[in-house]
Amino acid sequence: MTLVTSSHTRYRVGGMDCASCAAKIDTALRRLPGVEDVAVSVTSRLLAVTHAPEADLRALERRVVGLGYTIGPFEAEPLDGRSIDGDEAQDRSDHDRADATRDPTSGPSRLRDSMIGRWAGMPKARLTIASGLALAIAFATGSIAPSWSGWAFAVAMTVGLVPIARRAIAAALAGTPFSIETLMTVAAIGALVIGAGEEAATVVFLFLVGELLEGVAAGRARAGIESLTTLLPKTALVERDGGGTAEIAADRLSLGAILLVRPGDRIAADGEIIAGEGAVDEAPVTGESIPVHKRPGDGVFAGTVNTEGVLRVRVTATADDNTIARVVRQVEEAQESKAPTERFVDRFARRYTPGVVAVAAVVMLVPPLLVGAPWHEWIYKGLALLLIGCPCALVISTPAAIASALSSGARRGLLMKGGAVLERLGSVTVAALDKTGTLTTGKPVVTDIVSFGRPETQVLSLAASLEEGSSHPLAAAVLARAAADGVPIPPFAAARAIPGRGVAGRIGGEEIFFGSVGAVTERLSPTTDQHALVERLVAEGKTVSLLTAGDAIVGSIAMRDEPRPDARSGLAALRALGVTPMMLTGDDRRTAAAIADDLGLEVRAELLPADKLAIVRDLQARGEVVAKVGDGINDAPALAAADVGIAMGGGTDVALETADAAVLHGRVGDVARLIALSRRTMAVIRQNITIALGLKAVFLVTTVAGLTGLWPAILADTGATVLVTINALRLLR
């Protein structure tokens, strides 16, 4: 038995402006022999085809070009239906290098300017200009020689209509008979036949202008996410094993390579600082306006800028898997997933367009046949209805808003796996958040230093001396506090770690021990005050270690995994949106209660993964729409079961894969921003649908009443399309 496997081929398609373009390509390609599945993304211009190995890909490419679009390999930018090579590729490479050195804050505007510049030289723009010139010549001819005006306008109409009619025929043969090109062709030829040549030529020109505007607007929606890719430098300085550095292409960096990042350099890969410290400007990636001070052990993002000091960075992600690459890839994948509203609009549009054609036919035929109304007048009204009925504005109303929202979120580190997730987020009523690494930083910090007879600085100094060199999280907390306070760390002798108990050594002739309360109280009896202090600190959810010198307890250091800096404001933002936050954690009940009391929210503690899952199910059974927020493996079942699973930045791969959305920068406030973005997006979608259908309803009535004709009809359609696109683009800000 022979196992037949499918092949997968990806293309970059140019010229798509709205979802109806994608629908035409999808319908046409599915009818080809050997094609098993088709996925088209307008925003990323991606065409992914699953096909049998023997499928004729040349025929597939010809079909796309026949529909009026360009096609080329996914890795290249399509130009007039061909891929880039030779001098064009060199020009593009030089342009990329220039882009990499520009001011990152000018990225979107530069992209917009270059995008508009490219449009000026594209076939669609050239056709619009040619049609406009032909129309101007026709008007001039009509003024000079009125007897020739009919022919002049017929020629002007033909200049613009021939490419439109060719696309209409190709779409009809490929399975889309009721395309906008078909409606436009029928209306223009009909107007010419009844003697409205001037209007026919003008309507064709206005239609081409509308298409051009749609294309520019669609390109603007893409620019938001594409600008991220320009943040990455093309080269990086890599340390050689034998000494010195070498400059290599950033996309060839391997895991573990050591980068030398000088002040002013853009970091070429995600990594971890192993030497050096200084401020890193993360604004291009995270939006943070203030540079973040980085030390050895801290992570850095590709595309951020080292503003001071020399850093040595170990690469932790390849070019295909760094933060920016993951954001771009996930947004492109998300745009393939349609929201329920978008699917409904698509189904409605498929029935709506044939319905409009039927109504137009009734308007043309019934009044003249039944009551003897003038044929010319009612045919004219029917042709106007065909133009009014164009579904472009309606079809683009939802995907334009969703694409803008996904791109806007991605630029702020808010990732969503598709339009369905984006829509569902807006209905969340309960946010169930994990504690460690979600509401808290995930790293303990020193909260209290208490001395018993010695200065607090000496207590911290002695403890840090014993902990120096240890990688334990509690030791790291003590050393970080010592570094922050600038206390000296004296040398020690005969240091020894006692597993599960603490660490001991000789400092300045004294035997010093720093360890757990239990280990100390086994051989020493704390005073009443010392015992009361320890009880109070433990009741606050803190881990307490005691410091002894000889036979005396000389100090106490308490540590706790503290709430994130924005935890309180983030929870307040959720409440302001009408979302009830609660904590679900596997941590100790007393520790969890202390953090929850501090943040003012309900808590369920000492939970196993199955317990978290059961709580989510119970909340859903009570009618709540639950967002589960977490970062660990034990959160994965609840993340999958929740209405929306949200993974916090820095979480495990399991959490990130299971979740529906991700907050890359680990801010609690970003959970509220996700929900607010969803609600704004749904409001824009409702506005867009109202604009699209409302304008059509108004002009339907005025056309039948004889108040408006072909010009206002096409202006209404083009205007509605541009309005809904501009309204959707507001989400990019």
Side-chain angles (χ1 to χ4, degrees):
M1 184 174 110
T2 303
L3 181 64
V4 179
T5 58
S6 299
S7 298
H8 304 275
T9 306
R10 300 201 302 170
Y11 297 95
R12 187 80 75 177
V13 177
M16 295 190 296
D17 302 328
C18 67
S20 61
C21 299
K24 275 189 290 189
I25 294 173
D26 187 289
T27 301
L29 298 188
R30 288 182 186 276
R31 296 161 68 95
L32 292 176
V35 173
E36 299 168 7
D37 192 26
V38 178
V40 190
S41 170
V42 176
T43 307
S44 61
R45 293 168 292 173
L46 169 65
L47 166 62
V49 183
T50 303
H51 56 86
E54 67 275 8
D56 186 354
L57 297 183
R58 292 283 185 183
L60 182 149
E61 294 168 7
R62 287 195 299 272
R63 178 66 61 87
V64 173
V65 172
L67 291 171
Y69 306 101
T70 61
I71 187 169
F74 180 70
E75 293 74 20
E77 197 77 19
L79 292 174
D80 299 331
R82 55 194 171 85
S83 58
I84 299 171
D85 55 18
D87 295 337
E88 290 172 350
Q90 182 61 47
D91 291 344
R92 180 66 52 83
S93 176
D94 293 341
H95 175 71
D96 286 345
R97 283 197 294 274
D99 279 351
T101 60
R102 70 170 184 248
D103 179 357
T105 60
S106 67
S109 61
R110 293 283 187 87
L111 265 169
R112 181 170 61 252
D113 294 343
S114 65
M115 178 189 71
I116 294 173
R118 287 200 303 271
W119 270 100
M122 293 296 283
K124 193 173 288 188
R126 293 197 295 268
L127 176 61
T128 304
I129 293 169
S131 177
L133 289 174
L135 182 61
I137 292 171
F139 273 111
T141 301
S143 300
I144 298 170
S147 60
W148 286 89
S149 65
W151 290 103
F153 282 114
V155 170
M157 183 200 75
T158 304
V159 169
L161 189 63
V162 167
I164 297 172
R166 188 184 299 124
R167 282 153 48 194
I169 294 169
L173 294 175
T176 309
F178 295 107
S179 65
I180 175 55
E181 289 84 4
T182 301
L183 301 183
M184 186 68 234
T185 302
V186 171
I189 293 175
L192 188 66
V193 169
I194 65 174
E198 181 179 333
E199 291 186 83
T202 305
V203 161
V204 169
F205 171 66
L206 291 175
F207 174 78
L208 293 173
V209 170
E211 277 202 322
L212 187 61
L213 290 175
E214 289 174 27
V216 173
R220 178 69 184 92
R222 296 185 191 109
I225 188 62
E226 288 180 348
S227 64
L228 284 173
T229 62
T230 67
L231 296 174
L232 294 174
K234 299 298 181 184
T235 61
L237 281 179
V238 179
E239 293 186 357
R240 290 173 167 167
D241 292 338
T245 60
E247 187 173 14
I248 69 170
D251 57 7
R252 292 174 52 204
L253 290 173
S254 58
L255 293 176
I258 306 300
L259 307 183
L260 185 67
V261 186
R262 300 163 300 191
D265 282 355
R266 198 175 288 277
I267 299 171
D270 286 1
E272 179 185 345
I273 297 175
I274 59 173
E277 64 177 275
V280 174
D281 180 7
E282 296 185 338
V285 176
T286 68
E288 294 288 354
S289 59
I290 300 174
V292 180
H293 192 80
K294 300 283 187 176
R295 298 183 177 87
D298 289 341
V300 291
F301 298 120
T304 56
V305 181
N306 176 26
T307 62
E308 60 185 29
V310 177
L311 304 178
R312 293 177 67 231
V313 178
R314 180 187 294 110
V315 175
T316 58
T318 62
D320 291 334
D321 199 38
N322 64 38
T323 300
I324 290 176
R326 288 202 311 272
V327 168
V328 172
R329 184 168 59 248
Q330 290 187 23
V331 170
E332 289 181 343
E333 291 171 356
Q335 287 165 352
E336 310 300 330
S337 170
K338 291 187 176 182
T341 301
E342 184 177 357
R343 290 195 294 268
F344 168 76
V345 169
D346 286 348
R347 290 195 302 270
F348 177 76
R350 284 197 293 270
R351 293 166 175 78
Y352 163 85
T353 307
V356 166
V357 173
V359 170
V362 169
V363 169
M364 290 181 192
L365 300 175
V366 172
L369 291 176
L370 291 185
V371 297
W375 281 98
H376 179 281
E377 176 185 343
W378 287 94
I379 288 175
Y380 183 89
K381 290 179 178 180
L383 295 175
L385 285 181
L386 285 181
L387 299 179
I388 292 170
C390 167
C392 274
L394 178 63
V395 172
I396 202 175
S397 60
T398 302
I402 288 175
S404 296
L406 290 173
S407 298
S408 175
R411 289 184 59 78
R412 292 158 180 78
L414 312 176
L415 293 188
M416 291 154 281
K417 296 181 179 178
V421 175
L422 175 61
E423 185 169 326
R424 197 161 58 242
L425 270 163
S427 59
V428 166
T429 58
V430 173
L433 301 101
D434 184 36
K435 181 183 80 68
T436 306
T438 298
L439 286 169
T440 64
T441 61
K443 296 178 180 179
V445 295
V446 173
T447 58
D448 301 87
I449 302 172
V450 182
S451 65
F452 304 124
R454 298 197 183 193
E456 289 183 3
T457 54
Q458 187 179 11
V459 171
L460 180 59
S461 177
L462 293 173
S465 177
L466 292 178
E467 295 286 17
E468 193 170 28
S470 173
S471 59
H472 191 280
L474 297 180
V478 171
L479 292 168
R481 179 61 179 268
D485 290 359
V487 302
I489 300 179
F492 58 85
R496 59 196 182 278
I498 305 172
R501 302 172 72 79
V503 59
R506 184 170 289 277
I507 302 175
E510 280 188 303
E511 186 67 24
I512 306 296
F513 176 80
F514 181 59
S516 67
V517 174
V520 171
T521 55
E522 282 181 4
R523 63 186 185 87
L524 297 175
S525 297
T527 66
T528 302
D529 289 343
Q530 291 170 345
H531 180 76
L533 171 73
V534 169
E535 287 296 311
R536 178 177 62 81
L537 293 173
V538 170
E540 293 173 358
K542 298 172 181 176
T543 299
V544 181
S545 295
L546 295 177
L547 182 77
T548 67
D551 293 330
I553 300 173
V554 297
S556 168
I557 295 179
M559 289 160 274
R560 189 172 72 176
D561 180 12
E562 289 289 88
R564 291 181 181 272
D566 77 324
R568 290 177 184 80
S569 61
L571 294 174
L574 283 171
R575 294 186 183 97
L577 292 171
V579 178
T580 303
M582 64 184 302
M583 182 196 296
L584 303 183
T585 180
D587 280 5
D588 172 75
R589 189 178 305 277
R590 194 156 46 176
T591 301
I595 296 291
D597 288 344
D598 192 18
L599 297 176
L601 75 165
E602 179 187 351
V603 61
R604 311 274 186 90
E606 298 180 358
L607 302 174
L608 297 173
D611 298 325
K612 294 183 180 182
L613 175 60
I615 291 171
V616 168
R617 295 288 194 205
D618 180 61
L619 289 169
Q620 290 171 326
R622 286 190 263 154
E624 304 287 359
V625 179
V626 182
K628 176 67 180 75
V629 189
D631 73 329
I633 292 175
N634 62 348
D635 291 305
L639 285 169
D643 295 283
V644 183
I646 302 174
M648 289 293 278
T652 65
D653 290 340
V654 174
L656 292 171
E657 289 298 322
T658 306
D660 302 302
V663 175
L664 291 186
H665 306 311
R667 294 183 287 248
V668 178
D670 280 350
V671 177
R673 293 185 185 99
L674 270 174
I675 296 171
L677 178 60
S678 169
R679 293 182 182 178
R680 285 199 304 274
T681 304
M682 295 311 298
V684 166
I685 288 172
R686 288 190 291 271
Q687 293 162 8
N688 281 353
I689 292 174
T690 301
I691 291 169
L693 293 179
L695 278 175
K696 292 183 187 303
V698 169
F699 279 88
L700 175 66
V701 173
T702 57
T703 299
V704 173
L707 301 176
T708 54
L710 291 176
W711 292 20
I714 195 66
L715 283 172
D717 173 66
T718 299
T721 302
V722 173
L723 278 176
V724 300
T725 305
I726 292 173
N727 193 37
L729 292 179
R730 290 191 302 116
L731 292 166
L732 285 173
R733 290 183 295 188

